[in-house]
Amino acid sequence: MARVEYVDPENAPPETASALGRLPQAHVFGLMAQARTAFTPWLRLGGALLNDLALAPSLRELTILQVGRLAQRYEWVQHVPIALATGVSREQIDALERGVVEESLFDPTQRAVLRFVADLVRDGEVSDSDFATLSDLLDEQQIVEVALVAGHYLGLARIMTALRIDPDDPMGPEALNAGT
């Protein structure tokens, strides 16, 4: 059971109620809406990360799934359908769920991103060789975008864990444009 009450659009301040009314009903939004002054800017950042990056959507979703696998199951559950819609295969998702990224299911870029994200989630230390591999495959903008997506979802994972978010059914890929 969550440690804080989820904000309901029916009794929220007008700006928060308006934002919540455009979103799928989900605990993550009701939880984060408790930060009333930061909620709408947080939604804009999340929207930019989900819709406006140079990073390929499939790499974005593998990044989020890796964070979800290592830090918060809620994110995993929510992003599996989105990952599938971006072209990540069911076989890749199953392998990642087992923690197996060194197999032929993942191309070199995907493996490099998944290793980088795992290191970022664990303690932030990325070896020089792993970073060199990543930088041979992605440009600097894409590398920073991977780090930004991972950092954003890791921060959210820690909030959801500390405040004991309740599970939700997956919202699906249509949620990517909700609230924008």
Side-chain angles (χ1 to χ4, degrees), residues 81-101:
I82 299 169
L84 289 166
T86 66
V88 176
S89 73
R90 172 50 68 186
E91 293 79 15
Q92 288 174 311
I93 290 169
D94 292 344
L96 181 57
E97 187 168 29
R98 293 189 313 272
V100 179
V101 299

Side-chain angles (χ1 to χ4, degrees), residues 54-130:
L55 188 67
S58 60
L59 290 176
R60 177 200 69 222
E61 289 305 313
L62 285 171
T63 297
I64 296 168
L65 288 178
Q66 183 73 303
V67 173
R69 183 181 77 81
L70 296 170
Q72 178 46 261
R73 191 71 184 172
Y74 187 101
E75 292 171 338
W76 177 274
V77 168
Q78 291 302 319
H79 281 269
V80 163
I82 299 169
L84 289 166
T86 66
V88 176
S89 73
R90 172 50 68 186
E91 293 79 15
Q92 288 174 311
I93 290 169
D94 292 344
L96 181 57
E97 187 168 29
R98 293 189 313 272
V100 179
V101 299
E102 298 304 326
E103 60 181 55
S104 61
L105 289 172
F106 299 98
D107 68 33
T109 303
Q110 293 168 331
R111 285 192 305 271
V113 165
L114 290 168
R115 279 194 305 272
F116 177 83
V117 173
D119 289 343
L120 190 148
V121 169
R122 285 190 191 104
D123 64 8
E125 281 297 320
V126 177
S127 72
D128 289 339
S129 65
D130 282 350

Side-chain angles (χ1 to χ4, degrees), residues 105-167:
L105 289 172
F106 299 98
D107 68 33
T109 303
Q110 293 168 331
R111 285 192 305 271
V113 165
L114 290 168
R115 279 194 305 272
F116 177 83
V117 173
D119 289 343
L120 190 148
V121 169
R122 285 190 191 104
D123 64 8
E125 281 297 320
V126 177
S127 72
D128 289 339
S129 65
D130 282 350
F131 187 80
T133 300
L134 185 67
S135 65
D136 285 343
L137 299 164
L138 296 179
D139 64 31
E140 289 182 343
Q141 178 181 351
Q142 293 167 318
I143 292 169
V144 172
E145 288 177 352
V146 168
L148 185 59
V149 169
H152 176 77
Y153 279 88
L154 179 58
L156 182 57
R158 298 299 189 229
I159 291 166
M160 291 190 296
T161 299
L163 300 180
R164 296 187 182 156
I165 193 168
D166 296 304

